[in-house]
Amino acid sequence: MIDLLVKNAVLADGRKVDIACVGGRIAEVSPSITADARETIDAKGYLVLPPFIDAHFHMDATLSLGMPRYNQSGTLLEGIRLWGELKPQLTHEAVIERAMRYCDLAVSQGLLAIRTHVDVCDDRLLCVEALIEVRKRIKPYIDLQLVAFPQDGFYRDPNAKKNLLRALDLGVDVVGGIPHGERTMADGARSMTELCEIAAERGLLVDIHCDETDDPLSRHVETLVYETQRLGLQGRVVGSHLTSMHSMDNYYASKLIGLMAEARLHATPNPLINITLQGRHDTYPKRRGMTRVPELRAAGINVSFGHDCVMDPWYPLGQGDMLEAASMGIHVGLMTNQEQMAWAVDAVTVNPAKAMQLEGYGLEKGCNADFVVLQAKSPVEALRLKANRLKVVKRGKVIAETPERVAALHLDGRPKTVNGADYAPRG
């Protein structure tokens, strides 16, 4: 017998299907399934997507807004200083409590996989140990990858290297770095070499905060590409942010994008945060700050969108909604044709799954029975509406649900209700 049967679903490619789930996996996807099921969901012609994924986040800092004070300038550097002030005050229990609360919010949004960078520049490794505990607690419903992140610089902080290695020994999954945070460009480049060597030796993935600056001469991604090629790490390395590419001259950027494609580098811009933190030193015109997403796509580079921050020293807003991050991405990147908007939903689902090398992800027979039913009838409509997550399913079980959003109208001669999903243009 089928454990869970979803009837009348629409997939991202427009197919109308039923989805049968048995033993936590998808057993069948076809236009009509008539077998008996223990539980049946009528999707009513609404969109079903695999779970949302946040490929770049900072869970150790989330929900800490206002601690110990607010970021008045709105800059990246003040946010880093604020985090430095907060770190000595952190407790193991408080970090876990905030992270668990955020994970509750994430589940309600259908966000079931997160890659979070965790600061290792604290000799206690308090945040590392706390998030390892969180990873264990949420394993039944969220896939959490941890990145060892030397926030204060791999060389600039005297204990960062030792602490990063300790974090990896404790079971952190991915090697991180921040080359533009070193004292010199040379140290930044040197850090790329050593961090990639550590990853190669341990068989780990790499995710680098790379060139998160308005400086067009910050070009550490070039070294990251070189080390990826030299060490045979193709397909295992992510360059996150890459905001300096927004300010580079076109000739150099075109050369660099070709090198990135050759190395099979993944790219993860963070639209909400890049548009907020970059360009702060400009008068007018103000730079948008996000990297060159259309050009990266055109070169065949796998691009994901991350959320990066939610209510922390760097960003006072956010609710764990990856459709919000994708929406900002298409606005900032001037990507509003139908193909580009549909792709933006891939940037918060299937693309980060590739970058994170998640197993069993997708909506095909044999994949994990993990998916979201949205109050929308297409990916573009989901993006437009920031669609309600009607059902969130993990391993064939509903773990969160939200009623349809329908407004009542009290107007003579007009409809009694309004459902945003019914307002597509009529031909």
Side-chain angles (χ1 to χ4, degrees), residues 55-95:
H56 187 107
F57 194 61
H58 291 266
M59 194 175 286
D60 50 3
T62 196
L63 306 186
S64 66
L65 181 66
M67 304 178 206
R69 55 187 176 82
Y70 290 94
N71 186 335
Q72 296 299 323
S73 69
T75 61
L76 172 64
L77 293 179
E78 184 175 353
I80 292 172
R81 288 195 299 272
L82 272 171
W83 176 241
E85 293 172 19
L86 178 59
K87 275 195 288 189
Q89 303 175 27
L90 296 173
T91 67
H92 185 81
E93 294 74 18
V95 173

Side-chain angles (χ1 to χ4, degrees), residues 51-57 111-117 142-147 173-174 204-207 235-238 240 266-268 302 304-306 322 347-361:
F52 293 107
I53 300 174
D54 188 350
H56 187 107
F57 194 61
L111 172 55
L112 302 187
I114 301 171
R115 173 178 281 183
T116 182
H117 297 252
I142 292 179
D143 294 313
L144 184 64
Q145 281 188 0
L146 304 181
V147 184
D173 309 285
V174 183
L204 298 176
L205 303 178
V206 178
D207 193 327
R236 292 165 52 189
V237 178
V238 173
S240 288
H266 303 275
T268 303
N302 182 48
S304 308
F305 287 143
M322 295 311 298
V348 292
T349 53
V350 296
N351 292 1
K354 294 174 188 174
M356 293 169 62
Q357 298 190 358
L358 298 181
E359 296 181 359
Y361 182 88

Side-chain angles (χ1 to χ4, degrees), residues 92-101 103-104 107 129-144:
H92 185 81
E93 294 74 18
V95 173
I96 291 176
E97 189 271 338
R98 287 189 288 101
M100 292 299 297
R101 285 176 59 218
C103 289
D104 296 340
V107 168
E129 293 181 347
L131 290 189
I132 287 174
E133 174 63 23
V134 170
R135 182 178 63 185
K136 178 181 176 181
R137 293 188 191 183
I138 66 174
K139 186 176 180 180
Y141 52 92
I142 292 179
D143 294 313
L144 184 64

Side-chain angles (χ1 to χ4, degrees), residues 229-289:
Q229 295 275 50
R230 181 177 73 88
L231 296 165
L233 295 172
Q234 294 92 332
R236 292 165 52 189
V237 178
V238 173
S240 288
H241 292 292
L242 305 172
T243 58
S244 67
M245 290 180 67
H246 183 90
S247 301
M248 289 174 182
D249 69 81
N250 290 332
Y251 172 77
Y252 177 73
S254 66
K255 170 190 171 184
L256 183 60
I257 289 170
L259 294 173
M260 293 169 66
E262 186 180 284
R264 303 206 314 273
L265 202 75
H266 303 275
T268 303
N270 299 281
L272 292 163
I273 311 307
N274 296 155
I275 194 66
T276 301
L277 297 181
Q278 305 309 133
R280 287 280 181 167
H281 298 282
D282 295 350
T283 53
Y284 289 94
K286 289 183 181 289
R287 284 169 285 185
R288 291 170 178 262

